[in-house]
Amino acid sequence: INQIGYYPNTTKTALLINLSAPKPGKVQLVSNRTKRTVFETGLSAPQQDGASQDIIQTIDFSKFNKEGSYYLKSGNIKSYPFQIGKNIYRETLSKLLRSYYLQRCGVGVRDSASGVNHPPCHLSDGLIAHTDAFNQGGKHKPAIGGWHDAGDYGKYVGPTAVTVGRLLSLYEQYPKLFSDRQLAIPESGNRRPDILDEVKIGLDWMLTMQREDGAVYRKLSGKEWPGAILPHEDKQTRYVYGISTSETAKLAGAMAMAHRIYAPYDSKLAQIYLKAAQKAWTFLQREPSAKVDWVEGDDSGSGAYLNQSPEGRLQTDKNDRLWAAAELFITTGNSAFEQYLVQNIASWTYSLYEWTDPSTLGMTDYLMLTGRKESENLKQQIKTKLLQRADSLMQKVAASGYRLANQDFIWASNKRAAEEGITLLHAYRITGNQNYFRAAVDQLDYLLGRNHFNKSFITGVGSNSVRNVHHRIAQAKKIVIPGLMVGGPNAKAEDGIAPKDLGLLSYLDDERSYATNEYAIDYNASVIGLMGMLMAQAN
Ligand code: 9MR
Ligand code: ZN
């Protein structure tokens, strides 16, 4: 089951997996309060799921729509309890969002609710790598603040930018999901929605990674991966690596969005964001092809986050530039940016939103936010590509026992499930076709427990959720930090801990499994995006 629950007026399915005969014929939906059966339904014929080899039978209780707390019963098998209700995700959404506060760097975090507790960390960030003798001297580039990327303490412009982009886009589409005092963070009570206070942490750190000429450094980290220590105990020298046109373009996209979204609250700040975006774009005009300053060894103590070919060159930054151009057009109305889109749309494919390619966010924003008649042609092309993508996802969902739109069981497959769900919801919004909506629900059902492991992939959410996340603070403190989504099944299992080559089954709830059981800021952003869009469109 989805361990949180189901909306009253849409699809509700649970799965029975790998039952040995004899299979029970009927399934009862039982009220938790009265212990009475309130609904009875059958089981589908067994279907084998290709990605796991599991034999799956579906329980469909969509017809039942009364709010309340229930469980499912089939012979002597009982499910965890779950809700049917209109507001099932409210608390979970806040939990997911609040995780960013716990990732803050450069400040002390004292949080009794989660047990995260450490003094200010990484206060010397950072030294520009390769400026002179790598270990002595070097130019200082103050870049304190921001969020630790994941279970590690690196800070990276790529994932920060796509995180900010996903969260701001959700806010921009559905501001009513958010409010001041929603997250109990230090800024709560300042009359600005807490989500904007939290996203500002990421934005302001990205500003520090920009050079005077507009170019942006890629990342900030030490040369060695720290052990399971608290962040303030990580005393190694931290370096600023870069410059890259990819990160420069991603910063432009995020800052252009930030300008229009923060303007009603703080016009001075909004101006700073716009200037940063424009400066970045100006730099890109001077550097029309993809370029990165990268030296062997740069990635020794941090994630590579490099869209790199074997020769060490950036493959492309075109999709980053598209995101930037779209957001700059929406923000400024300057037709030069729209022209850039017109020139590049033919070769563009609608793909999955991630740090290697954030272009779909720009294109869907353009679809939603551009009202002019002159834009119809471009919008039509974006729509066509989006719906092609959505229809290919629908085929994957139909062929999958777990009804999964993402069949790439690689690093961060859970994030991919969430992002494909978002694409399906865009298709639903455009067409009104309920099938897309239902398939999007399927993706969240999977993440929240309707899967092989009978486990919710988000800590502290659901009756049986992942606990042993690869996360240095959690490991050092021996705590479970709530509201973190882990990467999930990854057949390559690069950590050598989770089982390899098992598709959907290549996953282990083990803190050593960084390739399947780590959390990252951009994973949470994707599931927040999916959940928030569902919440806004469900009722
Ligand atoms: O999420 C990232 C994934 O897309 C990459 O394939 C993988 C390998 O480079 O790295 C993942 O990001 C990790 C990063 O490298 C370091 N910080 C933790 C991130 C989550 O595991
Ligand atoms: Zn830190």
Side-chain angles (χ1 to χ4, degrees):
I1 56 157
N2 175 331
Q3 294 174 20
I4 291 295
Y6 302 85
Y7 281 119
N9 293 318
T10 184
T11 178
K12 297 174 209 64
T13 54
L15 307 175
L16 270 172
I17 302 159
N18 296 338
L19 276 197
S20 48
K23 307 212 187 314
K26 288 269 179 209
V27 178
Q28 287 87 36
L29 181 69
V30 183
S31 158
N32 240 335
R33 194 168 51 85
T34 64
K35 306 289 179 239
R36 290 228 177 94
T37 297
V38 292
F39 187 77
E40 201 171 59
T41 183
L43 283 158
S44 76
Q47 180 193 359
Q48 183 162 43
D49 172 58
S52 61
Q53 310 305 313
D54 285 344
I55 306 291
I56 298 179
Q57 289 180 277
T58 304
I59 302 158
D60 188 338
F61 53 108
S62 306
K63 287 214 181 90
F64 184 84
N65 57 14
K66 268 210 198 87
E67 300 200 38
S69 171
Y70 306 93
Y71 61 90
L72 289 164
K73 196 167 124 339
S74 173
N76 51 14
I77 304 170
K78 251 173 83 172
S79 79
Y80 296 117
F82 59 84
Q83 304 290 315
I84 294 178
K86 286 188 172 158
N87 297 316
I88 48 177
Y89 291 128
R90 203 184 272 167
E91 202 189 310
T92 304
L93 188 80
S94 298
K95 224 181 240 183
L96 283 162
L97 272 170
R98 195 163 185 280
S99 65
Y100 293 96
Y101 167 60
L102 306 175
Q103 292 294 115
R104 287 190 194 183
C105 179
V107 292
V109 179
R110 308 263 176 223
D111 184 52
S112 53
S114 64
V116 176
N117 190 338
H118 64 80
C121 53
H122 302 121
L123 295 173
S124 309
D125 283 353
L127 220 51
I128 299 176
H130 317 299
T131 38
D132 46 52
F134 201 49
N135 283 306
Q136 317 128 24
K139 271 197 216 132
H140 194 219
K141 170 90 179 122
I144 298 164
W147 300 302
H148 301 132
D149 182 54
D152 66 325
Y153 296 139
K155 301 190 289 196
Y156 311 84
V157 171
T160 300
V162 297
T163 296
V164 160
R166 181 48 82 212
L167 296 176
L168 286 183
S169 153
L170 182 66
Y171 173 81
E172 191 168 36
Q173 291 174 72
Y174 304 112
K176 288 202 181 109
L177 290 171
F178 305 100
S179 58
D180 188 18
R181 300 185 194 279
Q182 185 174 17
L183 305 179
I185 56 176
E187 296 79 4
S188 294
N190 68 357
R191 301 195 180 164
R192 181 158 67 187
D194 285 350
I195 185 175
L196 296 188
D197 292 318
E198 197 51 57
V199 169
K200 183 173 179 294
I201 301 289
L203 284 164
D204 291 355
W205 174 73
M206 282 200 285
L207 288 177
T208 70
M209 293 292 278
Q210 187 171 38
R211 208 164 62 177
E212 212 23 67
D213 64 352
V216 176
Y217 292 95
R218 294 171 47 226
K219 65 173 173 183
L220 198 162
S221 79
K223 285 207 286 180
E224 270 154 46
W225 293 100
I229 54 174
L230 289 172
H232 69 286
E233 296 165 343
D234 178 24
K235 300 281 192 204
Q236 58 179 315
T237 305
R238 307 231 301 172
Y239 294 94
V240 173
Y241 298 95
I243 293 288
S244 123
T245 53
S246 271
E247 270 71 13
T248 304
K250 282 194 265 274
L251 178 137
M255 292 294 165
M257 293 178 82
H259 171 76
R260 57 179 194 261
I261 292 167
Y262 285 77
Y265 293 97
D266 187 339
S267 58
K268 252 171 117 182
L269 179 69
Q271 245 359 84
I272 293 173
Y273 291 153
L274 181 60
K275 271 230 178 85
Q278 286 169 328
K279 249 164 66 174
W281 187 262
T282 306
F283 177 81
L284 294 171
Q285 298 313 101
R286 288 205 304 274
E287 288 287 352
S289 41
K291 211 179 136 183
V292 61
D293 292 341
W294 181 84
V295 174
E296 189 71 47
D298 276 6
D299 304 326
S300 55
S302 49
Y305 286 123
L306 196 59
N307 214 351
Q308 197 187 27
S309 60
E311 313 84 68
R313 303 262 313 270
L314 269 191
Q315 280 162 17
T316 175
D317 61 8
K318 223 178 183 167
N319 290 316
D320 303 307
R321 289 176 194 247
L322 271 176
W323 179 29
E327 301 300 346
L328 275 161
F329 173 69
I330 296 164
T331 292
T332 66
N334 178 341
S335 59
F337 296 117
E338 196 174 41
Q339 273 319 302
Y340 185 88
L341 302 182
V342 170
Q343 281 155 18
N344 288 287
I345 190 75
S347 59
W348 176 70
T349 355
Y350 192 106
S351 55
L352 189 134
Y353 178 72
E354 57 177 336
W355 62 269
T356 57
D357 179 0
S359 59
T360 54
L361 181 63
M363 299 304 125
T364 49
D365 278 352
Y366 183 89
L367 261 187
M368 290 185 284
L369 300 171
T370 314
R372 301 149 61 251
K373 245 177 81 202
E374 299 86 317
S375 303
E376 275 316 308
N377 188 316
L378 187 51
K379 283 168 84 170
Q380 202 44 55
Q381 294 184 63
I382 298 171
K383 256 187 222 173
T384 305
K385 292 184 187 219
L386 189 156
L387 292 178
Q388 273 167 4
R389 172 83 179 192
D391 289 336
S392 81
L393 296 179
M394 289 302 287
Q395 286 175 10
K396 290 185 187 165
V397 169
S400 151
Y402 289 99
R403 300 190 58 77
L404 283 179
N406 169 57
Q407 293 293 327
D408 293 331
F409 299 104
I410 56 177
W411 206 311
S413 67
N414 282 347
K415 177 212 169 77
R416 303 182 84 81
E419 283 297 336
E420 300 298 23
I422 290 173
T423 296
L424 290 163
L425 285 178
H426 281 309
Y428 168 63
R429 194 175 38 78
I430 291 171
T431 63
N433 180 344
Q434 290 280 345
N435 291 333
Y436 294 126
F437 184 87
R438 291 192 196 110
V441 171
D442 282 319
Q443 309 314 304
L444 194 56
D445 286 348
Y446 166 81
L447 295 173
L448 292 175
R450 204 194 60 185
N451 55 48
H452 171 89
F453 303 94
N454 198 20
K455 204 182 264 297
S456 155
F457 285 118
I458 303 174
T459 51
V461 171
S463 305
N464 177 29
S465 53
V466 36
R467 297 184 60 83
N468 308 303
V469 178
H470 179 81
H471 190 292
R472 283 169 177 72
I473 298 178
Q475 288 167 246
K477 289 250 173 215
K478 302 196 181 348
I479 53 175
V480 180
I481 301 172
L484 309 181
M485 183 169 84
V486 297
N490 169 8
K492 290 194 196 137
E494 289 91 336
D495 47 59
I497 298 292
K500 260 197 180 71
D501 299 327
L502 294 182
L504 197 34
L505 307 187
S506 282
Y507 168 77
L508 202 62
D509 182 13
D510 184 312
E511 63 183 33
R512 296 167 301 169
S513 180
Y514 55 80
T516 78
N517 214 33
E518 184 167 8
Y519 140 89
I521 53 174
D522 60 315
Y523 308 172
N524 259 41
S526 297
V527 73
I528 288 168
L530 173 61
M531 192 175 285
M533 285 173 73
L534 272 178
M535 287 167 76
Q537 298 186 15
N539 299 306

